[in-house]
Amino acid sequence: MIKPIRLGVNIDHVATIRNARGGHHPDPVRAARIAIAAGADGITAHLREDRRHISDDDIAALVATCTVPLNLEMAATAEMLQIALRFKPHAVCLVPERREERTTEGGLDAAGGASHLRPFVDELTGQGIAVTLFIEPAPSQVEAAAALAAHAVEFHTGRYCHAAAGEARAAELARITAAAQQGRRLGLECHAGHGLTYESVAPIARIAEIVELNIGHFLIGEAVFDGLAATVACMRALMSEARASADPAP
Ligand code: PXP
């Protein structure tokens, strides 16, 4: 029996547009409501150290109003830990963060950074928050995430999405598939995300070990043309269709 696959809609870039002019429009909380009504299984928001998109007030409003699980993406810093412990979202996804980057450009080094990450994983888990580590689909990183007793790993799909169609993309897909199989064997829930579009989502949704995709930039961009509800519904349908033809996990 293949597990269904969840869609987490990342609403960061609704806040990016709002912040371009200041004020309150467009409201990421309203976007979350529309995404949920259109089939989102979860809402994801990245509170960055520089607050370039989502703000602390957005997180408070999402916690108060979200009717589906909220996944808070954040760097492993003391400030963010205090915020997560205050708001207690359903899940925290620990991500690497550099001020100068345009977006999250690669996975966490769970292997090299285990001693820094351990207290974050332990404290959040101890408060009933499911901890995900955003990592590259590499055996050493999956092993390190399991050793840290994270609840889940999210595989960075950026390299897969940017690879040229054909052999290069097939090789990236194979890396993600192998990492997901390893993650399941080690008891980790497996998620994936970054850069996914209508065109790239199906092969990832067909990996039976992956049970959640977090998608933002493409959905918010496409919503300019088609509306957010139609865009989320279309992505949801593409994922479900691909899932129906997945090989069951062994
Ligand atoms: N997952 C994580 C951990 C991310 O940091 C991001 C980007 O904020 C995403 C998923 C979504 O990526 P995109 O916006 O490219 O769909």
Side-chain angles (χ1 to χ4, degrees):
M1 174 66 184
I2 303 167
K3 281 197 178 166
I5 188 161
R6 303 188 295 265
L7 170 60
V9 173
N10 181 316
I11 53 164
D12 291 351
H13 296 306
V14 178
T16 303
I17 297 170
R18 175 196 60 193
N19 296 357
R21 286 288 171 96
H24 301 287
H25 185 81
D27 176 12
V29 177
R30 181 174 165 205
R33 268 204 306 275
I34 292 170
I36 294 165
D41 304 287
I43 295 296
T44 293
H46 185 174
L47 185 66
R48 292 187 75 101
E49 189 191 3
D50 62 9
R51 309 302 197 270
R52 72 173 73 154
H53 37 57
I54 291 294
S55 68
D56 301 53
D57 286 350
D58 292 329
I59 297 295
L62 288 167
V63 166
T65 60
C66 248
T67 54
V68 295
L70 176 67
N71 174 32
L72 172 64
E73 294 176 354
M74 59 176 229
T77 64
E79 183 203 12
M80 289 298 153
L81 179 62
Q82 288 319 309
I83 291 170
L85 294 175
R86 175 150 49 95
F87 288 121
K88 294 220 172 66
H90 169 82
V92 160
C93 181
L94 293 175
V95 301
E97 200 174 295
R98 286 184 296 121
R99 268 177 184 268
E100 66 276 18
E101 69 189 357
R102 256 190 284 177
T103 179
T104 317
E105 287 166 0
L108 265 183
D109 184 7
S115 57
H116 173 71
L117 293 170
R118 187 175 296 284
F120 290 88
V121 177
D122 289 351
E123 194 147 359
L124 291 162
T125 304
Q127 292 299 313
I129 299 169
V131 179
T132 303
L133 302 181
F134 187 48
I135 58 172
E136 291 296 324
S140 60
Q141 298 298 341
V142 179
E143 229 168 80
L148 282 163
H151 171 72
V153 282
E154 179 167 326
F155 297 118
H156 195 304
T157 48
R159 283 174 63 157
Y160 158 78
C161 291
H162 291 133
E167 264 179 42
R169 191 179 269 199
E172 289 303 327
L173 184 64
R175 244 163 50 92
I176 296 168
T177 306
Q181 290 168 348
Q182 180 193 6
R184 275 313 300 148
R185 278 197 304 277
L186 295 175
L188 292 159
E189 192 172 285
C190 295
H191 308 168
H194 204 92
L196 292 169
T197 65
Y198 289 160
E199 184 266 324
S200 57
V201 77
I204 300 293
R206 262 186 229 114
I207 301 172
E209 290 81 3
I210 292 181
V211 297
E212 178 175 311
L213 302 182
N214 286 296
I215 309 179
H217 183 266
F218 175 80
L219 291 176
I220 304 308
E222 195 65 13
V224 170
F225 306 110
D226 261 354
L228 185 58
T231 304
V232 170
C234 181
M235 184 61 85
R236 188 50 276 176
L238 288 172
M239 286 168 55
S240 299
E241 195 180 303
R243 196 64 166 183
S245 63
D247 288 332

